[in-house]
Amino acid sequence: MNPKYDPLAVEADAQRHWRATQAYRAVEHATNPSGEPKPKFYVCSMLPYPSGKLHMGHVRNYTLNDVLYRMQRMRGYNVMTPMGWDAFGLPSENAAIEKRVPPAEWTYANIADMKSQMEPLGLAFDWSREVTTCKPDFYVWNQWMFLKMLEAGIAYRKTQIVNWDPVDQTVLANEQVIDGRGWRSEAIVEKREIPGYYLAITKYADELLADLEQLDWPPHVRAMQEAWIGKSVGVNFGFPYSIDGEQKLLRVFTTRADTIMGVTFVAIAAEHPLALRLARDEPTLAAFVEECKRGTTSEIDVATMEKKGVPTGFFVTHPLSGEKVPVWIGNYVLMGYGEGAVMGVPGHDERDFEFAKKYGLPIRQVISDTLVCTQERRAEFPRSEYPDMYFDEAKWKSWYERKENITVVNSGKYDGRGHVAAVDAIATDLKTLGVGDKQVQWRLRDWGISRQRYWGTPIPIIHCAECGVVPVPEKDLPVVLPEHLVPDGTGNPLAKDEPFLKCTCPRCGKPARRETDTMDTFVDSSWYYMRYCSPDNTHAMVDERNDYWMPMDQYIGGIEHAVLHLLYARFWTKVMRDMGLVKFGEPFKRLFTQGMLTAECYYREDDAGGR
Ligand code: ANZ
Ligand code: ZN
């Protein structure tokens, strides 16, 4: 026996044996030697993006998966570990632009490379279940589900605001906008409204939130999902105003109705109908609205950027005090949240405070756990002796967003109440006046799945001059993506490819045009792990084998997927359940987030000094 371990010889031998005996092939309903069914165990790593070469991060993650596989197998479980490729997406399109090759070519070459590196690692993958998301036998089911979702009213079409690069004539993803400019052209990015498809994930918001409790997931991941779903209980009410001879309400959503007497302005989004109406008569407003159109559509950027605004010169009426309240257009107000307008309470909201300080708007304190000195009582409480009762930015800040142990002050009949009691009383009064009511507001938005890009699942829609938007009939699926096109960075190559574009309308038979938008790649990752259970089924998306293996017993992946991928997958599963395709509502029983390699590990120098 050779006393030295020679991995190449020993492992290659073992692997040959494993291959010959199909040692890692998972079979449903396997039994133990005494004929009893083994309990199943499905352990899976998030499928890799075929970016090129395998790196140590991959090796480490798949090793974790492998160790669990082997342990559970030895403990008598019927274990499955599949592997696949998250093969669509923007990076391959960018690489294709740079290398001037079709993304398909680049992607398939990378898959072959990475697989050849993965195989000698001897990981216990059942390669017979390999899934590649850019192949029609996979994405046909994305298209099929999309049609089913259209029928069920889960998928729908509406206009969306996108980042538009006026030089490259293309839509940019948020991460392609750098300091307000397109990453390739460096042109100032504009916001544009174009039609797109959405999936109504908000219909499932309640359930997505409630079911988090039953998951054996890291608490911080559940907390991140909870924050993302963002259930807010508050009050929706309006400030009366009249314009063009009409009586209207300027509606706002607030979680802090208890601060309503502290309102000193109302800020509206640049896209708000009232802003657009006022901008019609006022060039400075129109200019500001234009300015806000530039910049990104990302919510994070909006939250952190410098607060800017303009006074419209227009006033609305405070519904409880009757006071005139000035309306401002503010860049920190999101059109997509609540009513696209906020009641400005600079005394107790940090953003409003920043805004009011910048523009010299009055700041009013209406919440306190100490006495406040009002204008009238200044003589009674001189500042020198009662500094606590005077405005102090640092102390003020400690009150922002505080709801516990507070008392409403300077608010007339509401004085002396705590947060909950004040919100209740104010909501009741607003309701009596017919201008408002309590409301539950979700942060979660419907999922926009249209991408104005080439390398993704074609959205199965046909545009007909006579019939409008027509879904591709199920029997005509898949709509196959041509694999030979080379993107050049100026728009979607599908839009220039006549053979793809030209089709006949399934309704009237006249010449029509195919939709050129493709699906977000999060669609693929929302259910690929179910396809592993029945990868060879050509007439159904999933079958009874899915009910055997799923829900997954252990999912392993990166914390960067704590929100989007894992939330979309949970949503997608619930939709499949409601369509009778699966019997469970949660796909991943346990989740392990593996962390990331951030430093060099061990290495050995070879004779030539290389690593
Ligand atoms: C007045 C107020 C006073 C607020 C206060 C907070 C603190 P969550 O909890 O995330 O739901 N808001 C409402 N619509 C907005 C929009 N379209 N763009 C930007 N901000 C918006 O946040 C609800 C709070 O976010 C609301 O409550 C509103 O500010 C702001 F001391 O109203 B609040
Ligand atoms: Zn037609």
Side-chain angles (χ1 to χ4, degrees):
M1 198 177 117
N2 188 345
K4 237 180 114 187
Y5 180 60
D6 179 359
L8 283 185
V10 176
E11 293 183 15
D13 238 17
Q15 285 171 23
R16 209 170 302 122
H17 175 71
W18 290 343
R19 263 197 305 277
T21 57
Q22 298 193 327
Y24 302 116
R25 175 144 198 185
V27 180
E28 293 76 23
H29 306 290
T31 51
N32 63 24
S34 49
E36 288 147 17
K38 291 182 179 182
K40 67 95 186 179
F41 193 85
Y42 179 9
V43 45
C44 178
S45 291
M46 290 180 187
L47 85 176
Y49 184 79
S51 54
K53 298 270 177 280
L54 221 56
H55 54 68
M56 275 317 288
H58 290 123
V59 175
R60 177 174 169 274
N61 298 344
Y62 304 143
T63 304
L64 296 170
N65 189 144
D66 194 61
V67 168
L68 197 56
Y69 174 96
R70 289 170 196 278
M71 183 185 82
Q72 291 299 72
R73 183 169 166 150
M74 286 188 274
R75 292 173 77 196
Y77 285 87
N78 185 26
V79 198
M80 164 165 75
T81 284
M83 187 36 75
W85 310 98
D86 188 14
F88 272 141
L90 196 52
S92 25
E93 219 166 306
N94 292 341
I97 294 171
E98 200 184 299
K99 298 183 166 53
R100 297 177 198 288
V101 295
E105 192 182 311
W106 185 83
T107 303
Y108 289 127
N110 284 348
I111 290 175
D113 266 5
M114 288 172 75
K115 195 169 170 184
S116 73
Q117 289 181 301
M118 221 182 257
E119 277 172 332
L121 287 170
L123 301 167
F125 292 134
D126 179 353
W127 283 108
S128 73
R129 295 172 184 268
E130 185 176 353
V131 159
T132 305
T133 60
C134 66
K135 291 191 176 165
D137 64 356
F138 178 80
Y139 67 69
V140 62
W141 300 111
N142 289 344
Q143 295 176 337
W144 181 81
M145 254 313 257
F146 177 82
L147 295 178
K148 292 282 164 228
M149 287 187 183
L150 270 181
E151 272 169 33
I154 299 285
Y156 63 94
R157 184 177 151 95
K158 79 163 192 200
T159 59
Q160 54 182 353
I161 297 174
V162 296
N163 302 309
W164 177 256
D165 184 322
V167 170
D168 276 352
Q169 295 282 305
T170 192
V171 174
L172 300 176
N174 281 333
E175 53 273 25
Q176 293 176 311
V177 179
I178 298 153
D179 296 330
R181 289 171 183 274
W183 66 300
R184 288 184 73 243
S185 68
E186 295 187 8
I188 293 182
V189 168
E190 296 167 7
K191 284 185 193 168
R192 268 215 185 172
E193 271 198 36
I194 58 167
Y197 290 90
Y198 285 80
L199 303 185
I201 189 171
T202 52
K203 286 195 178 171
Y204 288 82
D206 257 319
E207 210 190 336
L208 286 166
L209 186 65
D211 289 355
L212 280 173
E213 229 170 275
Q214 71 191 56
L215 301 177
D216 187 2
W217 286 19
H220 61 282
V221 176
R222 288 188 309 186
M224 281 162 83
Q225 293 224 345
E226 191 178 325
W228 189 267
I229 298 167
K231 183 177 184 174
S232 288
V233 183
V235 174
N236 183 315
F237 74 94
F239 292 81
Y241 68 96
S242 67
I243 198 162
D244 305 328
E246 264 186 89
Q247 284 295 323
K248 291 190 170 176
L249 286 178
L250 176 52
R251 291 204 156 269
V252 298
F253 171 74
T254 178
T255 47
R256 297 305 303 270
D258 51 334
T259 65
I260 196 167
M261 301 310 267
V263 170
T264 59
F265 64 95
V266 176
I268 60 179
E271 303 95 339
H272 193 283
L274 180 61
L276 299 177
R277 166 65 192 82
L278 296 172
R280 244 167 48 201
D281 309 332
E282 185 49 63
T284 53
L285 295 184
F288 185 71
V289 167
E290 272 310 305
E291 186 188 328
C292 290
K293 274 194 194 160
R294 296 192 284 270
T296 74
T297 56
S298 142
E299 233 174 85
I300 300 154
D301 295 347
V302 171
T304 54
M305 71 192 179
E306 194 196 339
K307 314 270 171 300
K308 272 196 201 163
V310 284
T312 62
F314 192 77
F315 290 80
V316 292
T317 308
H318 192 291
L320 298 180
S321 72
E323 241 181 308
K324 291 282 158 224
V325 182
V327 176
W328 284 64
I329 301 176
N331 68 348
Y332 71 105
V333 185
L334 303 163
M335 193 56 216
Y337 189 71
E339 297 287 348
V342 292
M343 66 178 204
V345 186
H348 305 284
D349 181 87
E350 186 161 12
R351 291 165 301 179
D352 297 342
F353 177 76
E354 213 184 296
F355 193 77
K357 231 175 76 165
K358 177 160 177 182
Y359 294 109
L361 294 162
I363 299 173
R364 235 179 252 166
Q365 180 181 8
V366 289
I367 274 183
S368 178
D369 46 3
T370 54
L371 264 175
V372 242
C373 182
T374 57
Q375 202 79 17
E376 304 79 56
R377 302 180 73 182
R378 286 235 160 123
E380 217 180 308
F381 301 104
R383 190 177 207 130
S384 50
E385 281 172 56
Y386 300 93
D388 277 3
M389 291 169 57
Y390 283 82
F391 182 78
D392 164 1
E393 189 166 334
K395 197 175 151 209
W396 208 268
K397 281 203 162 135
S398 72
W399 291 340
Y400 290 144
E401 313 289 342
R402 243 179 78 181
K403 289 184 185 167
E404 265 91 64
N405 304 321
I406 54 146
T407 310
V408 170
V409 294
N410 292 338
S411 299
K413 67 185 257 210
Y414 309 109
D415 280 3
R417 294 176 203 249
H419 168 68
V420 174
V423 169
D424 282 348
I426 288 165
T428 305
D429 286 352
L430 291 168
K431 192 170 178 177
T432 310
L433 290 169
V435 295
D437 207 344
K438 286 196 175 172
Q439 189 197 20
V440 175
Q441 179 71 45
W442 301 87
R443 192 178 167 273
L444 187 65
R445 294 279 89 100
D446 277 348
W447 173 15
I449 58 157
S450 303
R451 296 291 176 273
Q452 295 68 37
R453 322 224 142 259
Y454 163 40
W455 195 233
T457 303
I459 293 179
I461 289 287
I462 286 168
H463 298 278
C464 169
E466 305 266 320
C467 316
V469 176
V470 184
V472 172
E474 219 177 289
K475 64 171 176 45
D476 295 342
L477 295 183
V479 175
V480 176
L481 185 73
E483 292 195 344
H484 64 281
L485 305 180
V486 183
D488 60 6
T490 65
N492 183 345
L494 290 176
K496 302 170 209 160
D497 187 52
E498 284 291 309
F500 177 80
L501 276 179
K502 273 197 198 155
C503 59
T504 48
C505 170
R507 259 184 218 157
C508 69
K510 295 210 178 110
R513 189 178 57 80
R514 235 175 242 300
E515 173 64 60
T516 56
D517 280 2
T518 56
M519 295 184 198
D520 182 4
T521 54
F522 278 122
V523 168
D524 307 314
S525 53
S526 287
W527 72 281
Y528 74 98
Y529 51 89
M530 297 199 217
R531 187 66 187 169
Y532 284 143
C533 302
S534 50
D536 52 359
N537 194 330
T538 52
H539 50 265
M541 181 179 189
V542 292
D543 58 30
E544 63 289 344
R545 289 173 285 178
N546 196 38
D547 295 324
Y548 175 77
W549 292 111
M550 287 292 292
M552 192 185 294
D553 299 277
Q554 179 70 58
Y555 199 22
I556 302 174
I559 185 73
E560 67 276 21
H561 296 300
V563 180
L564 295 181
H565 160 50
L566 290 169
L567 193 65
Y568 292 149
R570 295 180 59 220
F571 156 67
W572 194 278
T573 301
K574 290 177 194 300
V575 175
M576 285 180 73
R577 177 206 56 200
D578 289 350
M579 289 177 178
L581 295 166
V582 301
K583 299 193 172 83
F584 48 89
E586 283 293 337
F588 314 120
K589 285 198 253 180
R590 297 190 76 211
L591 172 72
F592 176 72
T593 48
Q594 87 253 316
M596 203 155 84
L597 283 189
T598 55
E600 241 173 311
C601 304
Y602 305 99
Y603 62 89
R604 198 181 60 177
E605 279 184 6
D606 59 24
D607 296 341
R611 289 178 188 181

